[in-house]
Amino acid sequence: MVARIETGRVIDGFLVDSQIHRGGMATLWSVRHDAYSIPLIMKVPRLAEGEDPAVIVGFEMEQMILPRLTGVHVPRFIASGDFKTTPYIVMERIDGPTLHKRLPDLPLPPAEVADIGARVATALDALHRQQVVHLDVKPSNIMVRPTGEMALVDFGLSRHLQLPDLMDEEFRVPYGTAPYMAPEQILGQRSEPRSDLFSLGALMYFFVTGIRPFGDPQGMKGLKKRLWRDPVPPRGIKPDCPPWLQEIILRCLEVNPALRHPTAAQLALDLRNPGQVQLTARAERLEQDGFFTAWRRRLDIDQLIHVEKPSGDAPIVMVAIDPATQSDAVADAMRANVRHTMSAMPNARLACVNVLKLRRIGMDSTLDEEGENKHMQRLIELRHWARPLGLGEGQVTYHVLEAVSPATAILEFARSNHIDQIVMSARARSTMRSLLGSVSGEVAAEAPCSVTVVRTRGDGEGGEG
């Protein structure tokens, strides 16, 4: 017999304090336990007569998925209870609001929307790297930690790519939140990480315009309309929405997942670097597509059921370059390494990085000896370095970092942008390098990803760390 949850009851050592939320599929309770010093929350499914059977299946999915997740972008799992006695999940209670709290403030300034979008995309990237597609990205399922990170909650509709998908096995109708569901999700496809990017695009559209891009349809006919009818471009509603932000949002809202960003990490990188977003016709649109264009898409709707799958990985490769001290031989060797890496992964993004070293004491001039802006000159040098690679504008970005410690700057950039691989060169051997160590050595020792250090003959062997 299932035990009743009420204030003051002790369940498996957890003391129930008070009910804090009653949702459509579950009730949330504040609980305490002597073994845990952090605030806790107990999630209990609603199992009364007449409840949707998806409640039970979704709860089973969350019980399977949440214990396998780690990191600041999800609540910490504590314990779970059996359906035979008392079904529940106890997790960390995140001390922060959901993005739903921002709805009365809409529309938000474009810069704030981009910042929110970048942080949510970072959270999605962390989730996708753990083989989970959320499939219910919406404001009420995104919490803001006091430290600023976004945390995703409620995994009842999620899909773990290495676990059985009970929702798909037991139901033939799509589950999700209508304003944010991706087209392929509506058609029953639940294994596409880029579905979450579509949902985030819908959220950013809503936050920058104050209007949901597809309304709030309640039936399959209304849901399927987004497969053939595009929304009014954000700038047609809010002229102050910059073209680069509209470009990103409309790319997220592409019907075919293959036309969206390959990964959440690449989406976050674009949102943090608006000056390097490659603008297309999307950026300048002010109106929906014409009636006949939409009608032709509607006639071809069946072709969208089998959406294109991503071809291979879509990593972000970072190449740390110092053109002023790099020999032609080293530059050629680094370009050869990068060219090989990029050709092996067609969806990869290259981030060319240079560190403008600052003095520890005193003021630094922004101009060089010729009176040219140092930052701008470095950007020009990076573009010149990358030109022989022949990469398209959308495949490469350029970043000049200003820091006292080049190694620290490179490591911080790699961590904040979820870089998958770093390529850099080693300085020539010298007494000073022997005494103080090398930038490449420090990066290789502490980087969160693989590091390829390129050396030419006479300067030791290259390798990875």
Side-chain angles (χ1 to χ4, degrees):
M1 180 178 179
V2 176
R4 181 179 177 182
I5 308 295
E6 57 188 4
T7 299
R9 191 177 187 91
V10 177
I11 300 173
D12 297 337
F14 294 98
L15 174 63
V16 180
D17 280 339
S18 59
Q19 184 180 129
I20 57 177
H21 178 73
R22 182 177 176 84
M25 301 182 75
T27 304
L28 303 179
W29 298 80
S30 173
V31 298
R32 288 178 287 159
H33 195 291
D34 292 340
Y36 301 96
S37 58
I38 62 173
L40 301 176
I41 195 169
M42 178 180 282
K43 183 174 184 177
V44 182
R46 295 180 56 175
L47 301 177
E49 180 68 29
E51 295 288 358
D52 189 336
V55 170
I56 297 176
V57 178
F59 197 79
E60 288 182 292
M61 291 297 301
E62 189 160 25
Q63 280 188 321
M64 290 194 298
I65 291 173
L66 190 57
R68 291 170 165 81
L69 299 178
T70 60
V72 297
H73 299 295
V74 295
R76 175 187 166 190
F77 171 79
I78 301 297
S80 63
D82 193 277
F83 271 89
K84 294 180 180 179
T85 54
T86 305
Y88 66 80
I89 299 174
V90 174
M91 67 192 85
E92 163 199 10
R93 181 175 181 177
I94 296 174
D95 183 18
T98 68
L99 287 183
H100 191 270
K101 298 290 186 182
R102 300 306 310 275
L103 299 193
D105 304 327
L106 302 186
L108 299 180
E112 186 175 0
V113 174
D115 175 63
I116 290 171
R119 287 187 284 153
V120 175
T122 297
L124 288 172
D125 177 63
L127 189 68
H128 295 167
R129 288 172 186 265
Q130 298 180 69
Q131 302 298 307
V132 174
V133 188
H134 193 280
L135 297 174
D136 198 18
V137 175
K138 59 182 178 180
S140 59
N141 282 343
I142 303 169
M143 302 193 71
V144 186
R145 289 187 181 273
T147 47
E149 296 97 343
M150 298 293 180
L152 299 160
V153 299
D154 195 348
F155 298 92
L157 302 182
S158 298
R159 168 79 166 101
H160 195 298
L161 301 180
Q162 296 177 342
L163 293 176
D165 186 5
L166 303 183
M167 293 295 294
D168 183 59
E169 292 173 3
E170 299 189 29
F171 302 101
R172 292 294 175 265
V173 295
Y175 277 88
T177 303
Y180 306 96
M181 288 176 69
E184 66 276 9
Q185 188 179 347
I186 294 169
L187 296 174
Q189 299 180 19
R190 291 176 37 83
S191 301
E192 175 55 77
R194 291 169 295 188
S195 297
D196 289 340
L197 305 192
F198 184 97
S199 300
L200 177 53
L203 185 150
M204 290 191 291
Y205 182 109
F206 185 25
F207 275 35
V208 83
T209 65
I211 299 172
R212 294 182 175 91
F214 307 103
D216 188 10
Q218 299 302 308
M220 281 298 294
K221 182 179 179 180
L223 283 171
K224 283 189 173 183
K225 186 176 179 180
R226 70 194 61 183
L227 275 74
W228 54 272
R229 171 42 89 190
D230 56 313
V232 176
R235 299 182 66 218
I237 301 171
K238 292 288 292 182
D240 64 339
C241 176
W244 63 265
L245 184 56
Q246 173 163 300
E247 174 73 34
I248 291 173
I249 290 173
L250 293 185
R251 184 177 178 185
C252 288
L253 295 179
E254 287 283 358
V255 173
N256 189 337
L259 300 178
R260 303 171 203 156
H261 291 78
T263 66
Q266 291 197 19
L267 171 57
L269 188 65
D270 270 357
L271 287 164
R272 292 192 177 105
N273 295 276
Q276 301 198 48
V277 174
Q278 183 184 13
L279 301 183
T280 69
R282 299 186 193 101
E284 300 301 329
R285 291 178 53 208
L286 299 176
E287 298 179 348
Q288 291 174 295
D289 288 333
F291 172 80
F292 290 107
T293 299
W295 185 257
R296 283 196 299 270
R297 280 201 295 262
R298 188 173 187 179
L299 294 178
D300 294 335
I301 197 170
D302 291 339
Q303 297 182 17
L304 297 173
I305 295 178
H306 302 290
V307 295
E308 181 182 340
K309 293 296 180 183
S311 55
D313 293 329
I316 301 177
V317 178
M318 171 185 176
V319 56
I321 310 160
D322 187 3
T325 63
Q326 195 176 79
S327 68
D328 290 343
V330 170
D332 288 342
M334 290 185 69
R335 278 191 287 263
N337 185 288
V338 170
R339 187 179 292 111
H340 175 75
T341 300
M342 299 294 287
S343 64
M345 294 174 287
N347 289 322
R349 173 83 70 88
L350 181 66
C352 296
V353 174
N354 175 261
V355 181
L356 184 59
K357 195 173 187 303
L358 303 178
R359 291 184 291 178
R360 292 183 182 276
I361 301 174
M363 297 292 291
D364 286 276
S365 172
T366 60
L367 304 179
D368 61 17
E369 295 177 355
E370 286 74 37
E372 301 289 344
N373 183 281
K374 293 178 182 178
H375 197 107
M376 184 61 65
Q377 287 302 113
R378 295 292 179 92
L379 284 174
I380 293 172
E381 291 171 355
L382 287 177
R383 290 180 179 273
H384 177 76
W385 185 95
R387 190 172 294 119
L389 296 173
L391 299 174
E393 286 294 322
Q395 286 185 278
V396 57
T397 55
Y398 307 92
H399 314 266
V400 175
L401 314 177
E402 298 184 3
V404 171
S405 168
T408 299
I410 291 170
L411 289 166
E412 288 180 352
F413 185 91
R415 293 189 184 105
S416 63
N417 291 288
H418 295 267
I419 299 299
D420 296 277
Q421 182 176 344
I422 299 173
V423 179
M424 61 190 305
S425 64
R427 287 182 179 270
R429 298 187 184 279
S430 67
T431 302
M432 187 63 69
R433 175 183 166 192
S434 299
L435 291 173
L436 301 180
S438 68
V439 173
S440 59
E442 186 175 345
V443 171
E446 300 183 25
C449 59
S450 64
V451 179
T452 300
V453 179
V454 178
R455 298 182 176 92
T456 55
R457 182 171 297 179
D459 190 36
E461 300 298 324
E464 291 194 14

